[in-house]
């Protein structure tokens, strides 16, 4: 059976179906990572998004049980130029087709992904519907119109864990972290654990008092959706500022900025991929980073608060990180996975900050 | 010039003379890609405002076309000829990294015989220590062990007896690689002791330093390459990954290569990337590109114990034309979704940093953008149905 992909503005693509036979609505985005499709698929930040990969061959290394960044597949749909049905990797335990089928996620291949990506680049991320089950197009358009989209949606609460759990508990921790889970990737926890930290993960809906209990620092994780819609969290985060160091990644970066009083805005088509150049303004050094976000922090509003912009995205000059005496946050993913490991030094900085305590 | 290079950032005043060493005759291991890299280097250096002098023994190349260099010497690539060119042209610096093994060997000889010092001429792109480290198999191996990079079991021998003693450790089949020979000439795989003695004897004869490396065979392993560029601020980017269609044991020149690498998971690719960056820093390639090659065991190797062997050369095939003063061309290199970097990345000479440069593609993308592929590119020998052979031009 064929697959159909419809965009909000009427653009239409036909291709071949793989994965699950179903219809799903979401936001159409693209990712430029050349490797790491399984990490992309299991990153909670992709909740309710139909992800198109710009790399032409996907599925080459199959899927395995070591690489997932969470317990499930998050995107609403997955679009590739050419699906590999015969994986070549000693770690492969199955095919991408079966993986998506079992996860209930529709896939589509054999379309001109360049045309689709250029369209999204010109027109911006937009609402879409993907169908692999033969649902009539008129019905799909109705579903698309009924879909509320990303703006104003608090998706972080929906993907967060439901109760606190301890991810790492070494005998002599170098620092103790509470991680506020807005859709946290496993590798953030792995890196903190690797640095010798005690790590406790909390639902984003927990009160600040619960986060703060017996920790040296609070880290706000990555996550999906519109930071402005998660505003209930900022009043809790405000209680952390000044008590212990507050650090953040991606959505966490945006939430901390909003807590301080800065504003966020939607980027035209977002930064998603493993090739995003960021300059550390403190050293002039450039890191090639992994990023995945559709919203950004307004530079002027940060500077008006007296915050130091520590990192700049070199493609469009947007804010990639900032710091004050009490907080430090980056828009990119120091935990990579997928992507280059250039940013992992940031985790060390977080740990140092935690050791130093509140200023 | 679309690279935003401020004249103040250049290492030498505009108008300074630079000598580029070409690669000589086109032979296996030293093919037309070096004509390409040399040509691009001449163009880029001229665009930066330098006066370019070229020495190359092969007149049948693009780089020796009249309009490319400001002065072209079609002379043997020997120390004597180069000495005369240097004495006459008085270049402030020699660029040896775009002429393949020939260029590197000549530069090293000019350094060792004091010619460069005598004329106050410096080497750019790579210093003699870096060339020596990347080319001397024992030094290189020791350096890799020092920074924790996995290498195949191997050691160097300068006599047949020494080589035979190594066999106990290395085992058969064994790889024999003579030091400092073009395209690995004289090397081979020995399946038994008789072959081993024959190849070692020949290898010792061919090696200018009478030295061979005896190494455990990695036949059948997957073969990957990373093209890496480093700038003076120690920023390092990986331009592309390449996968050999055929496994270890089939010479790349006889095989097909595909970019990007297609059968590595992100964890494995980033592992190789981290290693390649450590290697380029250890070898000390100051500015410019290097090609780092890895063999990866396709069987069940535990995570973090990639057994890896590699060679690093200051020059390499088609993609590493971006040595200092050179450029890197990526036909059909893909948009990363934010710009259309079809075309070239310029890595300019000497003291420039990647972040100060822009892609020579009319786009706003900076040179430290990390190219991505949305198409795969394959290079290899054409099959000619008429002659039933590889590599023969078909008309």
């Amino acid at each position: 059976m064929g697959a159909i992909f419809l965009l909000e503005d009427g653009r239409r693509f036909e291709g071949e179906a793989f994965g699950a036979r179903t219809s799903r609505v979401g936001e159409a985005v693209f990712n430029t990572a050349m490797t790491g499709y399984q990490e992309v698929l299991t990153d909670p930040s992709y909740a309710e998004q139909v992800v198109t990969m710009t790399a032409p061959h996907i599925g080459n290394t199959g899927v395995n049980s070591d690489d997932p960044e969470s317990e499930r597949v998050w995107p609403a749909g997955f679009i590739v130029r050419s699906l590999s049905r015969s994986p070549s990797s000693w770690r492969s335990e199955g095919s991408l087709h079966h993986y998506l089928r079992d996860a209930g996620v529709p896939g589509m291949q054999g379309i001109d992904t360049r045309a689709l990506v250029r369209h999204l680049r010109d027109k911006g991320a937009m609402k879409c519907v993907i169908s692999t089950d033969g649902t009539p197009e008129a019905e799909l358009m109705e579903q698309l119109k009924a879909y509320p989209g990303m703006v104003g949606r608090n998706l972080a609460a929906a993907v967060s864990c439901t109760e606190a759990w301890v991810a790492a508990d070494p005998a002599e921790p170098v620092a103790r972290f509470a991680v506020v889970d807005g859709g946290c990737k496993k590798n953030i926890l792995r890196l903190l654990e690797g640095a010798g930290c005690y790590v406790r993960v909390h639902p984003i809906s927990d009160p600040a008092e619960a986060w703060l209990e017996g920790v040296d620092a609070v880290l706000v994780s990555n996550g999906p959706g519109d930071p402005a819609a998660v505003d209930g969290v900022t009043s809790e985060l405000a209680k952390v500022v000044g008590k212990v160091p507050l650090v953040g990644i991606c959505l966490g970066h945006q939430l901390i900025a909003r807590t301080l009083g800065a504003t966020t805005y939607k980027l035209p088509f977002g930064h998603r991929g493993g090739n995003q150049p960021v300059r550390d303004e403190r050293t002039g050094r450039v890191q090639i980073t992994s990023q995945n976000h559709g919203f950004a922090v307004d530079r002027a509003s940060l500077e008006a608060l007296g915050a130091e912009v520590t990192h700049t995205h070199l493609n469009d000059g947007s804010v990639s990180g900032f710091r004050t005496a009490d907080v430090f946050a980056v828009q990119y993913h120091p935990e990579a996975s997928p992507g280059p490991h250039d940013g992992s030094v940031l985790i060390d900085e977080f740990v140092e900050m935690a050791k130093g305590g509140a200023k | 010039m679309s690279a935003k290079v401020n004249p103040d950032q250049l290492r030498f005043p505009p108008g300074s003379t630079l000598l580029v060493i070409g690669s000589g005759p086109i032979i296996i291991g030293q093919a037309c890609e070096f004509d390409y890299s040399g040509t691009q280097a001449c163009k880029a250096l001229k665009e930066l405002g330098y006066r370019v002098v070229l020495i190359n023994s092969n007149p049948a190349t693009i780089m020796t076309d009249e309009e490319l260099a400001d002065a072209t010497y079609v002379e043997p690539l020997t120390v004597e000829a180069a000495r005369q060119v240097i004495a006459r042209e008085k270049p402030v610096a020699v660029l040896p990294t775009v002429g393949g093994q020939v260029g590197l060997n000549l530069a090293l000889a000019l350094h060792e015989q004091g010619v460069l010092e005598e004329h106050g001429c410096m080497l750019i792109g790579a210093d003699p220590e870096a060339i020596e480290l990347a080319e001397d198999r024992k030094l290189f191996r020791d350096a890799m062990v020092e920074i924790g990079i996995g290498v195949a079991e191997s050691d160097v021998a300068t006599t047949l007896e020494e080589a035979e003693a190594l066999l106990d450790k290395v085992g058969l089949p064994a790889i024999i690689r003579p030091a400092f020979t073009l395209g690995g000439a004289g090397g081979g795989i020995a399946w038994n002791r008789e072959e081993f003695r024959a190849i070692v004897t020949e290898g010792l004869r061919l090696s200018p330093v009478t030295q061979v490396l005896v190494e455990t065979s990695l036949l059948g392993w997957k073969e990957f390459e990373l093209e890496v560029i480093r700038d003076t601020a120690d920023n390092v980017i990986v331009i592309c990954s390449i996968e050999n269609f055929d496994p270890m044991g089939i010479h790349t020149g006889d095989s097909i290569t595909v970019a990007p690498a297609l059968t590595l998971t992100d964890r494995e690719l980033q592992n190789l990337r981290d290693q390649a960056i450590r290697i380029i820093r250890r070898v000390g390639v100051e500015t410019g590109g290097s090609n780092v090659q890895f063999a990866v065991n396709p069987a069940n190797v535990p995570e973090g114990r990639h057994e890896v062997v590699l060679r690093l050369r200051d020059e390499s095939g088609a993609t590493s034309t971006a040595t200092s003063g050179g450029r890197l061309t990526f036909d059909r290199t893909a948009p990363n979704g934010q710009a259309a970097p079809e075309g070239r990345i310029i890595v300019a000479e000497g003291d420039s940093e990647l972040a100060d440069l822009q892609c020579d593609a009319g786009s706003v993308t900076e040179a430290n953008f990390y190219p991505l592929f949305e198409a795969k590119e394959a290079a290899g020998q054409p099959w000619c149905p008429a002659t039933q052979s590889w590599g023969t031009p078909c008309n």
Side-chain angles (χ1 to χ4, degrees):
Chain A
M1 187 176 289
I4 294 176
F5 182 59
L6 303 173
L7 289 167
E8 188 180 6
D9 66 355
R11 189 76 189 258
R12 176 179 185 283
F13 292 87
E14 275 183 54
E16 294 165 41
F18 70 97
R21 296 305 158 93
T22 182
S23 298
R24 298 275 293 273
V25 289
E27 183 188 46
V29 298
F30 60 88
N31 183 299
T32 58
M34 290 190 290
T35 52
Y37 53 83
Q38 198 182 355
E39 289 92 326
V40 167
L41 285 168
T42 51
D43 179 347
S45 300
Y46 287 103
E48 284 197 22
Q49 292 181 323
V50 176
V51 181
T52 298
M53 301 300 288
T54 57
H57 278 257
I58 297 293
N60 310 348
T61 49
V63 293
N64 62 57
S65 47
D66 287 332
D67 288 348
E69 279 300 316
S70 70
E71 302 307 325
R72 56 165 280 197
V73 175
W74 290 98
F78 198 51
I79 298 177
V80 303
R81 174 74 188 85
S82 175
L83 175 76
S84 170
R85 288 183 186 270
S86 47
S88 171
S89 167
W90 62 269
R91 294 203 293 137
S92 174
E93 296 161 23
S95 76
L96 178 59
H97 163 62
H98 290 126
Y99 189 66
L100 288 187
R101 187 193 63 189
D102 296 347
V105 174
M108 177 169 173
Q109 69 147 337
I111 75 159
D112 184 350
T113 47
R114 292 188 193 199
L116 172 54
V117 167
R118 290 209 168 111
H119 187 71
L120 294 177
R121 205 174 62 191
D122 293 344
K123 303 282 160 65
M126 62 181 87
K127 294 194 281 181
C128 67
V129 58
I130 179 172
S131 175
T132 54
D133 60 1
T135 304
E137 279 187 48
E139 205 173 303
L140 293 173
M141 279 313 282
E142 288 306 310
Q143 291 179 13
L144 192 155
K145 286 194 185 109
Y147 174 62
M150 286 284 156
V151 176
R153 297 277 308 287
N154 183 354
L155 292 175
V159 305
S160 179
C161 62
T162 49
E163 53 189 71
W165 60 286
V166 174
D169 192 7
E172 290 175 18
V174 299
R176 298 166 65 87
F177 272 86
V179 173
V180 177
D181 177 11
C184 187
K185 283 163 71 187
K186 277 186 183 173
N187 211 36
I188 296 175
L189 308 179
R190 279 188 216 112
L191 288 175
L192 287 175
E193 184 180 6
C197 297
Y198 166 86
V199 184
R200 195 175 65 224
V201 185
H202 281 271
I204 197 164
S205 54
D206 267 5
E209 292 73 27
W211 301 336
L212 284 165
E213 200 182 317
V215 297
D216 304 314
V218 172
L219 183 151
V220 189
S221 82
N222 64 300
D226 181 351
V230 200
D231 259 0
V233 177
T234 55
S235 57
E236 294 302 307
L237 290 174
K239 298 177 190 166
V240 175
V241 177
K243 287 209 181 66
V244 298
L246 177 62
V247 299
I249 291 170
C250 198
L251 179 72
H253 165 262
Q254 297 159 2
L255 292 176
I256 292 172
R258 293 184 68 87
T259 301
L260 299 183
T263 55
T264 50
Y265 61 98
K266 196 169 195 306
L267 290 166
F269 47 83
H271 300 144
R272 293 182 184 84
N275 66 325
Q276 311 279 336
V278 166
R279 183 167 54 217
D280 186 332
E281 301 292 0
R282 302 165 298 174
T283 61
R285 295 289 294 276
V286 175
Q287 300 167 342
I288 305 297
T289 68
S290 178
Q291 300 199 7
N292 169 30
H293 58 111
F295 292 82
V297 177
D298 181 70
R299 179 181 289 264
S301 71
L302 263 185
E303 286 171 349
L305 293 167
E308 176 197 5
V309 174
T310 53
H311 294 80
T312 299
H313 195 295
L314 289 173
N315 283 357
D316 61 8
S318 62
V319 174
S320 277
F322 69 91
R323 181 163 196 159
T324 70
D326 305 312
V327 310
F328 186 21
V330 286
Q331 183 62 69
Y332 62 92
H333 289 266
E335 78 282 7
S337 196
H341 299 156
D342 293 7
S344 60
V345 289
L346 245 296
I347 297 287
D348 300 335
E349 284 198 54
F350 286 172
V351 174
E352 282 308 311
M353 222 173 143
K355 284 198 233 168
K359 292 284 183 301
Chain B
M1 181 68 184
S2 44
K4 281 189 314 186
V5 179
N6 180 338
D8 299 339
Q9 291 176 321
L10 292 178
R11 196 162 177 173
F12 308 109
S16 301
T17 298
L18 298 182
L19 177 65
V20 173
I21 306 179
S23 62
I26 288 171
I27 53 176
I28 289 178
Q30 188 82 16
C32 53
E33 65 263 28
F34 294 111
D35 184 18
Y36 182 86
S37 56
T39 302
Q40 295 297 325
C42 289
K43 281 187 185 170
L45 291 173
K46 273 177 77 168
E47 283 174 11
L48 290 172
Y50 293 126
R51 179 170 173 275
V52 178
V53 174
L54 171 71
I55 178 168
N56 191 3
S57 62
N58 183 358
T61 54
I62 304 295
M63 71 169 95
T64 50
D65 281 1
E66 272 177 31
E67 67 276 14
L68 272 165
D70 294 293
T72 301
Y73 290 82
V74 178
E75 296 290 344
L77 292 170
T78 60
V79 172
E80 198 35 54
R83 184 202 302 274
Q84 288 183 33
V85 172
I86 290 170
R88 183 177 161 144
E89 295 287 349
K90 306 243 180 294
V92 293
V94 174
L95 177 67
T97 54
V98 294
Q101 189 77 58
V102 165
L104 291 173
N105 284 356
L106 179 55
L108 213 48
L110 288 170
H111 166 71
E112 278 163 3
Q113 298 187 23
V115 178
L116 298 180
E117 204 181 1
E118 184 188 329
H119 294 278
C121 182
M122 63 190 294
L123 277 183
I124 52 174
D127 59 29
E129 290 72 34
I131 298 176
E132 210 151 6
L133 182 55
E135 294 296 327
D136 183 300
R137 295 191 183 280
K138 174 144 174 43
L139 286 179
F140 183 68
R141 184 177 195 285
D142 293 346
M144 293 306 101
V145 170
E146 177 193 314
I147 57 170
I149 307 281
V151 291
E153 195 60 64
S154 73
D155 213 336
V156 294
T158 52
T159 65
L160 181 58
E161 291 68 37
E162 277 178 33
E164 289 199 287
L166 293 176
L167 258 192
D168 297 335
K169 186 167 72 174
V170 169
L172 287 168
I175 309 278
I176 299 113
R177 303 177 192 275
F180 292 95
T181 65
L182 264 184
I189 301 168
W191 293 87
N192 53 50
R193 284 194 168 262
E194 197 178 323
E195 282 178 7
F196 182 77
R197 280 190 289 268
I199 298 171
V200 169
T201 307
E202 179 69 0
L204 288 172
R205 190 181 69 76
L206 286 172
S207 168
V209 291
T210 322
Q211 188 195 89
V212 296
L213 184 93
V214 180
E215 193 170 77
T216 302
S217 164
L218 303 176
L219 276 181
W221 288 29
K222 288 185 178 185
E223 197 174 344
F224 296 94
E225 301 176 29
L226 295 180
E227 298 290 348
V228 191
I229 289 185
R230 181 180 182 212
D231 74 7
T232 48
D234 196 30
N235 293 312
V236 183
I237 58 172
V238 173
I239 296 298
C240 79
S241 60
I242 298 171
E243 180 162 1
N244 281 244
F245 186 81
D246 294 299
M248 294 285 286
I250 298 185
H251 195 284
T252 307
D254 294 331
S255 182
I256 293 167
T257 54
V258 177
L262 292 177
T263 69
L264 287 175
T265 63
D266 186 66
R267 204 180 275 203
E268 289 147 3
L269 179 71
Q270 302 306 340
N271 183 346
L272 295 189
R273 181 180 182 274
D274 292 346
Q275 296 191 38
I277 291 173
R278 291 218 303 277
I279 292 162
I280 192 171
R281 287 184 174 144
R282 174 63 187 83
V283 171
V285 177
E286 294 276 320
T287 54
S290 287
N291 169 267
V292 187
Q293 305 184 354
F294 294 93
V296 176
N297 192 334
N300 196 2
V301 183
E303 173 80 26
R305 275 194 58 234
H306 276 305
E307 298 202 32
V308 167
V309 66
L310 45 90
R311 292 184 295 142
L312 180 138
R313 304 143 82 191
D314 269 336
E315 38 70 22
S316 86
T319 40
S320 79
T321 49
T323 44
S324 80
R327 310 165 162 193
L328 193 52
T329 292
F330 278 94
D331 293 328
R332 289 174 44 194
T333 299
N336 65 353
Q338 299 175 11
E342 270 182 56
R344 297 171 293 183
I345 290 176
I346 290 187
V347 175
E349 176 278 333
D351 299 332
S352 302
E353 293 177 19
L354 291 165
D356 297 325
L357 303 170
Q358 291 206 327
C359 253
D360 185 19
S363 79
V364 295
T365 306
E366 303 204 24
N368 57 15
F369 123 105
Y370 186 52
L372 289 172
F373 291 71
E374 71 175 6
K376 68 177 188 293
E377 188 85 35
Q381 306 278 338
W383 171 254
C384 177
T387 61
Q388 293 288 299
S389 63
W390 294 101
T392 316
C394 286
N395 293 312

